[in-house]
């Protein structure tokens, strides 16, 4: 059996050998080291580009800054937000927890944190939220075409259907009894959503921003994406599904204007609308008899 040293002895001097301490073996090590250090910046650059693409188009991490979504989300939680599906035309749906850009100065007066250089780098690659981006997180209650209302302490109603809301913070009522916006009945325009925090008595949401230019509604194009996972801390890891109350029968049934108009129309107007159809059908029924009589006359 040939050893590694025997192979090195058979190699010409100055050529790379398979072992030993010859000049060839010494020449391989420095070359390999230089190659690694040359490739390391490229690998780091590729990793940063991939992270930036993921942050921009796929998933981004956000930190929960307040208690307005308790107990679903606690202050300091990190959530992962799906940014991919909106690229394919998907719009927010009732019950989803969404992150959105400040629609019209909702965060006025709130302190802006000053990140250190490390936090700036982490936010740039999507591992931490950016301090410059003024974002909020709330639950979607109504979408375009919905009627949302609160009377007394609740329940909250969407299109006349009462919602059973187990996610509301313990001790809170579904509706807030106050004259600042807690009592309301609104119609959500197309292209907008109505959002509310789960900690109903500690959330400045659509209810308390009805004096802004959107009347408390959030434009769909301001939505960053849907929060799908609580990623940190580990002991709070879990998904953020749509509660069953938003799947109840009849919630999607919104009366169409045409159907309502027909139902409300007096019988005389409805009869007038159907009269031309009746006349046309009568003429079609009389035509064969007329043609038959004409044929008999000609045969005589």
């Amino acid at each position: 059996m040939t050893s590694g040293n025997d192979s090195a002895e058979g190699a010409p001097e100055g050529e790379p050998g398979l072992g030993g301490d010859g000049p060839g073996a010494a020449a391989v090590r420095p070359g390999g080291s230089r190659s690694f250090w040359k490739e390391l910046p490229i690998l780091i650059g590729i990793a940063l580009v991939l992270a930036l693409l993921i942050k921009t188009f796929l998933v981004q991490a956000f930190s929960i800054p307040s208690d307005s979504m308790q107990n679903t989300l606690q202050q300091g939680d990190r959530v992962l937000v799906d940014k991919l599906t909106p690229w394919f035309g998907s719009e927010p749906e009732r019950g989803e927890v969404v992150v959105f850009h400040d629609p019209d100065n909702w965060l006025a007066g709130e302190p802006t944190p000053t990140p250190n250089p490390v936090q700036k780098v982490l936010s740039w690659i999507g591992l931490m939220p950016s301090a410059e981006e003024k974002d909020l997180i709330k639950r979607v209650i109504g979408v375009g075409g919905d009627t949302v209302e609160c009377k007394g302490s609740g329940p909250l109603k969407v299109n006349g259907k009462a919602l059973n809301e187990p996610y509301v913070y313990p001790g809170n009522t579904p509706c807030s009894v106050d004259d600042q916006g807690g009592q309301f009945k609104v119609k959500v325009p197309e292209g907008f959503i109505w959002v509310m925090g789960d900690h109903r008595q500690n959330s400045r949401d659509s209810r308390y921003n009805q004096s802004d230019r959107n009347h408390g509604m959030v434009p769909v194009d301001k939505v960053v994406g849907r929060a799908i996972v609580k990623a940190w801390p580990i002991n709070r890891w879990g998904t953020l599904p749509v509660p069953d109350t938003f799947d109840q029968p009849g919630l999607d049934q919104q009366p169409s204007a045409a159907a309502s108009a027909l139902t409300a129309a007096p019988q005389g107007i409805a009869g007038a609308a159907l009269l031309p159809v009746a006349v046309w059908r009568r003429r079609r029924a009389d035509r064969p008899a007329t043609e038959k009589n004409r044929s008999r006359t000609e045969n005589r």
Side-chain angles (χ1 to χ4, degrees):
M1 188 173 185
T2 306
S3 67
N5 288 336
D6 291 337
S7 299
E9 290 173 1
E13 186 176 351
E15 292 184 10
L18 300 177
D21 298 327
V28 172
R29 294 191 186 98
S33 299
R34 284 196 299 270
S35 177
F36 171 76
W37 290 111
K38 286 180 180 178
E39 290 179 358
L40 183 59
I42 298 175
L43 294 174
I44 293 175
I46 292 173
L48 290 175
V49 170
L50 288 175
L52 185 59
L53 289 174
I54 290 172
K55 166 195 169 184
T56 305
F57 299 107
L58 299 178
V59 176
Q60 186 174 1
F62 285 85
S63 176
I64 306 304
S66 70
D67 297 329
S68 68
M69 282 296 293
Q70 284 183 317
N71 272 337
T72 303
L73 297 171
Q74 301 286 355
Q75 187 172 350
D77 283 355
R78 301 290 196 276
V79 297
L80 299 182
V81 174
D82 167 25
K83 300 177 70 175
L84 178 63
T85 50
W87 286 90
F88 294 94
S90 174
E91 294 191 354
E93 297 182 1
R94 302 184 201 95
E96 294 180 345
V97 176
V98 297
V99 171
F100 55 95
H101 298 313
D102 190 338
D104 189 25
N105 219 20
W106 287 18
L107 294 174
E110 294 291 333
T112 302
T114 304
N116 58 44
V118 175
Q119 290 174 327
K120 288 182 179 180
V121 173
L122 292 176
S123 66
W124 184 78
I125 62 177
L127 297 179
M128 286 188 66
S130 172
E132 284 106 20
E133 293 180 0
K134 294 185 177 295
D135 298 317
L136 301 97
I137 185 166
K138 305 290 180 187
R139 189 180 299 277
V140 179
I141 301 298
V143 296
D146 286 346
T147 298
V148 186
E149 60 180 313
C150 260
K151 291 182 179 179
S153 59
L156 176 65
K157 292 184 179 181
V158 177
N159 297 327
K161 298 288 184 179
L163 299 183
N164 176 28
E165 300 184 282
Y167 47 81
V168 169
Y169 185 74
N172 278 192
T173 54
C175 299
S176 300
V177 182
D178 59 51
D179 56 359
Q180 283 80 48
Q183 303 289 289
F184 62 89
K185 183 175 183 178
V186 295
K187 176 88 171 182
V188 184
E190 294 296 335
F192 291 82
I193 56 175
W194 179 269
V195 298
M196 297 172 67
D198 289 354
H199 196 163
R200 291 290 158 82
Q201 274 76 62
N202 188 23
S203 175
R204 284 198 62 83
D205 44 44
S206 290
R207 299 170 293 171
Y208 300 105
N209 288 283
Q210 295 185 64
S211 60
D212 73 2
R213 61 183 175 183
N214 301 311
H215 306 291
M217 314 292 176
V218 178
V220 169
D221 60 12
K222 290 283 188 180
V223 176
V224 176
R226 175 188 172 185
I228 52 175
V229 171
K230 291 178 288 185
W232 188 263
I234 294 297
N235 63 342
R236 285 187 48 76
W237 190 96
T239 59
L240 294 167
V242 173
D244 292 340
T245 188
F246 291 95
D247 294 327
Q248 62 176 296
L251 196 63
D252 280 323
Q253 293 179 359
Q254 301 171 11
S256 85
S260 299
L262 183 59
T263 303
Q267 292 183 357
I269 297 177
L274 294 174
L275 183 60
V277 178
V279 172
W280 177 76
R281 293 186 64 183
R282 178 63 182 271
R283 285 181 178 177
R284 282 183 61 88
D286 291 344
R287 187 177 300 166
T290 304
E291 291 178 352
K292 187 174 181 180
N293 292 335
R294 183 182 301 167
S295 176
R296 288 177 179 175
T297 303
E298 290 175 353
N299 289 335
R300 288 177 184 175

